[in-house]
Amino acid sequence: MALGQAGGSGRLLAWPRVLLFGDSITEYSFRENGWGTFLAERLVRKCDVVNRGLSGYNTRWAKLILPRLITKNAGAESTVAVAIFFGANDSSLEDLNPKQHVPLDEYAANLKSMIQYLKSVDITEDRIILITPPPLQESAWEKECLAKGYKLNRHNATTGEYAQACVQVARDCGTDVLDLWTLMQENQDFASYLSDGLHLSTKGNSFLAAQLWSRLERRLSALPSLLPYWRDVDHTDPAASLL
């Protein structure tokens, strides 16, 4: 008997999924001790955690990509949560980094556009969480910039304006929000959350993971484990347990 015909065929196993959509801070989240790795470990056998982090991207580009990642016919039904995590590149200074910079008003409009798109494919507000950019440790990031031959191209105060806009969009649209910029600066030594002034350190990854999980746990922890525990499989008739 062919594999696809076994037992008269079972239903396709469709894992629920959490979509992480963001820039390099998301792309790097599956590295060792990354915040995406933390989520994947918590949700193993319950839910796929899908990393769609795109290093260097801003919301102007992201809103064009999102409809290619999820549609009504491909992924929307199984998506139990979407994290949208942009702003670190949008908030670049226009005169020093025009390629990545997005004006503040457009940034907010782009976030709203992405939320509206998700709603149009039946992903409701309660399944969407916005994450603000983290704070910028300027002296550390300036060293990175100078090493590459250019001036400091971001300011923490400017990043804060984008973080506030992100929070306001969440309020306006009825989604959850994780205000990383504010929360991290409640610790006077917020630089320890950052590896180079911009991206997250191990401590920063742990902080984000804990904060995000506290918001997702109530929605996702009740998801059942998929397929029975091995001791519960009837070894004399595994099809009875598995199909």
Side-chain angles (χ1 to χ4, degrees):
M1 181 183 291
L3 183 62
Q5 298 172 326
S9 80
R11 290 179 296 109
L12 178 68
L13 280 170
W15 254 244
R17 69 173 190 162
V18 173
L19 178 66
L20 309 181
F21 188 39
D23 52 35
S24 57
I25 302 173
T26 300
E27 182 175 325
Y28 303 161
S29 72
F30 273 25
R31 293 179 175 178
E32 186 177 4
N33 299 315
W35 60 274
T37 301
F38 176 95
L39 292 178
E41 289 175 349
R42 291 296 181 280
L43 293 168
V44 68
R45 286 187 65 172
K46 292 186 173 187
C47 189
D48 284 338
V49 178
V50 180
N51 184 337
R52 293 295 179 264
L54 300 162
S55 178
Y57 275 51
N58 56 32
T59 57
R60 182 180 293 163
W61 305 345
K63 74 173 185 178
L64 300 176
I65 297 296
L66 185 58
R68 299 177 63 192
L69 300 180
I70 190 165
T71 69
K72 276 189 178 180
N73 298 323
E77 184 177 353
S78 63
T79 300
V80 292
V82 178
I84 299 176
F85 188 8
F86 289 95
N89 297 316
D90 299 68
S91 59
S92 297
L93 302 178
E94 182 176 14
D95 57 335
L96 294 174
N97 190 2
K99 183 166 185 175
Q100 291 178 301
H101 170 79
V102 172
L104 185 60
D105 289 347
E106 183 188 344
Y107 168 73
N110 290 340
L111 289 177
K112 288 182 179 179
S113 176
M114 287 189 273
I115 293 169
Q116 289 163 0
Y117 173 75
L118 291 173
K119 289 171 62 178
S120 78
V121 296
D122 299 328
I123 296 177
T124 51
E125 296 95 327
D126 62 319
R127 286 188 275 166
I128 303 169
I129 181 167
L130 302 185
I131 306 175
T132 76
L136 181 79
Q137 212 290 318
E138 293 182 14
S139 60
W141 185 244
E142 185 173 26
K143 289 180 183 178
E144 296 290 320
C145 293
L146 292 173
K148 295 174 183 177
Y150 46 80
K151 297 178 181 178
L152 178 67
N153 59 14
R154 291 164 170 83
H155 290 154
N156 190 40
T158 304
T159 304
E161 294 174 1
Y162 283 71
Q164 291 169 13
C166 181
V167 170
Q168 189 59 52
V169 167
R171 289 174 181 156
D172 293 343
C173 295
T175 71
D176 202 350
V177 63
L178 172 51
D179 185 0
L180 204 57
W181 189 84
T182 297
L183 288 169
M184 282 188 166
Q185 290 185 96
E186 290 177 355
N187 180 346
Q188 291 183 344
D189 184 30
F190 78 88
S192 64
Y193 292 130
L194 305 167
S195 63
D196 56 7
L198 176 67
H199 300 96
L200 301 181
S201 64
T202 297
K203 182 178 178 181
N205 272 281
S206 296
F207 182 85
L208 172 52
Q211 292 289 333
L212 185 55
W213 181 243
S214 71
R215 289 158 172 77
L216 293 177
E217 183 177 17
R218 62 182 180 272
R219 306 172 205 171
L220 304 182
S221 61
L223 290 171
S225 290
L226 296 165
L227 295 173
Y229 181 56
W230 72 271
R231 292 187 187 278
D232 298 327
V233 175
D234 182 352
H235 69 283
T236 64
D237 183 13
S241 302
L242 301 176
L243 296 178

